Amino acid sequence: MALPFNDLYDVRSLLSEEECAVQDTVARFTNERVLPIIGDAFDQGRFPKELVPEIAELGLLGSSLPEQYGGHGLNAVSYGLICQELERGDSGIRSFVSVQSSLCMYPIYAYGTEEQRMRWLPDMAAGKVIGCFGLTEPHGGSDPANMKTTARKDGGDWVLNGSKMWITNGNVADIAIVWAQTDDGIQGFVVEKGMAGFAAQEIKHKMSLRASVTSSLFFDNVRVPEANRLPNVKGLKGPLGCLTQARYGITWGPIGAAIACLDEALNYSKERILFERPVAATQSAQLKLADMARRITMGQLLVIQLGRLKDAGRMVPAQVSLAKWNNCRMAIDIARQCRDLLGGAGITTEHCAIRHALNLESVITYEGTETVHQLVIGRELTGISAF
Ligand code: TGC
Ligand code: FAD
């Protein structure tokens, strides 16, 4: 019997029953609810917000958190599988879940008070409150230590000034987790929509992540009460700790995108007859397809081990960097090659390859560019920081 094209090494057999059930549930959601609409949403530059209640209903928002906060206590491998199956649909849908779960619910859970957890997390898990995460600033996202947004203590409040750029969910968010420089180092604040002086402006003309909202945020003397400061972390390790959670999910996501592209290219090249034989019967097409399957398989083995390390409490950020770098590079190369195998047909969003290839331009850039992750590994090996 032929091996399944999307699991040559039977990685599925390494999953528990619960992990398989999570994967199957999200796969069904992607097949039935995402794939039928996502090409049009991408064309129209529209985030399909109508999917949010169903995503929440399936328990995909903050899925790793304990139940009293609306989560389901899922393990890291299950969270990875959620990201993979969603990104098989579209990176924008996975992005929405990554930001809500890893970049917004996680810091409230990890750095917030019990009161703050109860105030926001259950509604966020239910999709009633949407979050965004403001770290990147216009003058240079790779170097967040050079942060210009400030928060100044004024009586019982904090006053925020500055701006953030490239913020996923910015214009659909009810709250923003905003990182700002204080006299006591970088701190996190929950800024609420409607607070005077706080504005979001959607970034237009994107050729990537078109089914996702990306915004600039502006803070002009925004008065934020002390009750909205996340008190349990100070310094860059606060936002970087959130990035480790989100980057972990992103190590899995692009595998889904790559599988979707390979699936499409396999079907197309078996049916496309040129020079009196299917394109799939040529050696050069088979070399390309075999190489894609090889790289997907390596990516799958990388993340299952990464997930097991995370679940054992042994994962370190450099391991996440290696997998983020490897799997984003693997997926964008595969998406581009699949686009090529489809010829002219590959340039329209009737097929998924070009949409995934364009989306992956963002995925390989956000959450640390490929270069940043390469330099993290370089520092790990040499002990010398080359940033
Ligand atoms: P360094 O100054 O050495 O360290 C500062 C403190 O942070 C700790 N730390 C980490 N903690 C947790 N996770 C990590 N990955 C961490 N990396 C460092 C570190 O131990 C130290 O702690 P302490 O206690 O000693 O103070 O910082 P560094 O030299 O390691 O950082 C340099 C660099 C370039 C790696 C870092 O600045 C970086 O990662 N830059 C890239 C910025 C980035 O990724 N931005 C992403 C913005 S969010 C986003 O893109 C969302 S997209 C979402 C979507 O739509 O899916
Ligand atoms: P820069 O940091 O200016 O980098 C420019 C180039 O310089 C890159 O090629 C980079 O690799 C290279 N470079 C950087 N440092 C070095 C070095 N030391 N040596 C050699 N080369 C180097 N941010 C958020 O805070 N929240 C979000 O929700 C969010 N969502 C995003 C959604 C999208 C669609 C996109 C595109 C970005 C999003 N970002 C978000 C921002 C993202 O994290 C940044 O774009 C990213 O960190 C890179 O920052 P930059 O764009 O300012 O590029």
Side-chain angles (χ1 to χ4, degrees), residues 255 258-259 262 292-300 330 334:
I255 295 173
I259 285 173
L262 176 57
M292 292 181 212
R294 172 184 69 84
R295 291 182 70 182
I296 289 172
T297 304
M298 292 192 304
Q300 288 171 320
M330 168 275 284
I334 287 175

Side-chain angles (χ1 to χ4, degrees), residues 20-188:
C20 287
V22 168
Q23 179 169 28
D24 293 346
T25 301
V26 185
R28 207 162 33 243
F29 170 75
T30 293
N31 292 341
E32 291 172 5
R33 306 292 294 133
V34 179
L35 292 179
I37 62 157
I38 200 64
D40 284 344
F42 185 94
D43 280 349
Q44 294 155 10
R46 183 182 76 82
F47 169 57
K49 203 177 169 196
E50 68 273 16
L51 296 179
V52 172
E54 289 173 69
I55 290 173
E57 184 69 24
L58 287 173
L60 308 187
L61 303 177
S63 57
S64 309
L65 296 185
E67 286 185 10
Q68 71 260 38
Y69 306 117
H72 297 276
L74 294 187
N75 68 5
V77 169
S78 296
Y79 177 50
L81 290 162
I82 290 171
C83 291
Q84 180 181 310
E85 290 305 328
L86 290 177
E87 198 148 353
R88 191 168 55 76
D90 192 83
S91 304
I93 307 296
R94 196 268 309 135
S95 256
F96 173 78
V97 170
S98 290
V99 170
Q100 180 83 345
S101 302
S102 293
L103 295 181
C104 296
M105 297 178 74
Y106 172 80
I108 293 172
Y109 174 68
Y111 310 142
T113 61
E114 190 53 28
E115 200 188 340
Q116 291 172 331
R117 291 172 171 186
M118 292 314 295
R119 182 172 161 200
W120 284 301
L121 294 179
D123 280 348
M124 293 181 83
K128 292 182 192 153
V129 169
I130 293 175
C132 68
F133 177 88
L135 176 65
T136 303
E137 299 188 351
H139 57 274
S142 299
D143 184 15
N146 182 24
M147 187 176 290
K148 307 225 187 285
T149 298
T150 56
R152 180 176 46 82
K153 191 89 200 271
D154 186 35
D157 295 338
W158 292 82
V159 178
L160 268 65
N161 277 291
S163 64
K164 301 285 175 181
M165 197 173 180
W166 304 116
I167 306 306
T168 300
N169 295 351
N171 278 76
V172 291
D174 303 288
I175 61 169
I177 307 293
V178 178
W179 299 94
Q181 202 62 259
T182 73
D183 286 344
D184 205 11
I186 289 171
Q187 298 200 57

Side-chain angles (χ1 to χ4, degrees), residues 3 9 29 40 51 83 98 105 159 197 205 233 235 253 256-257 262 302 323 326 335 366 374 381:
L3 296 169
Y9 263 46
F29 170 75
D40 284 344
L51 296 179
C83 291
S98 290
M105 297 178 74
V159 178
H205 311 297
V233 77
L262 176 57
L302 202 57
N326 187 77
Y366 66 33
Q374 288 166 332
L381 295 175

Side-chain angles (χ1 to χ4, degrees), residues 146-275:
N146 182 24
M147 187 176 290
K148 307 225 187 285
T149 298
T150 56
R152 180 176 46 82
K153 191 89 200 271
D154 186 35
D157 295 338
W158 292 82
V159 178
L160 268 65
N161 277 291
S163 64
K164 301 285 175 181
M165 197 173 180
W166 304 116
I167 306 306
T168 300
N169 295 351
N171 278 76
V172 291
D174 303 288
I175 61 169
I177 307 293
V178 178
W179 299 94
Q181 202 62 259
T182 73
D183 286 344
D184 205 11
I186 289 171
Q187 298 200 57
F189 298 85
V190 184
V191 177
E192 298 174 52
K193 186 176 174 177
M195 283 181 166
F198 173 41
Q201 187 176 28
E202 191 165 351
I203 296 173
K204 298 287 187 187
H205 311 297
K206 287 187 303 173
M207 299 302 290
S208 174
L209 279 200
R210 288 181 52 75
S212 168
V213 171
T214 315
S215 310
S216 296
L217 306 182
F218 301 97
F219 310 92
D220 180 9
N221 284 313
V222 182
R223 192 163 276 278
V224 179
E226 166 65 16
N228 284 32
R229 181 178 66 91
L230 300 174
N232 297 328
V233 77
K234 282 188 185 133
L236 198 57
K237 68 169 179 276
L240 291 183
C242 306
L243 295 187
T244 294
Q245 304 304 314
R247 288 167 177 173
Y248 166 76
I250 295 174
T251 68
W252 287 76
I255 295 173
I259 285 173
C261 293
L262 176 57
D263 191 12
E264 180 175 80
L266 275 172
N267 290 329
Y268 191 90
S269 61
K270 281 193 246 176
E271 283 167 14
R272 187 77 171 167
I273 309 294
L274 297 170
F275 303 101

Side-chain angles (χ1 to χ4, degrees), residues 351-374:
H351 297 95
C352 74
I354 187 88
R355 178 168 53 80
H356 282 299
L358 290 169
N359 282 340
L360 288 159
E361 294 288 349
S362 287
V363 181
I364 203 168
T365 294
Y366 66 33
E367 297 279 359
T369 64
E370 183 176 63
T371 305
V372 161
H373 291 295
Q374 288 166 332

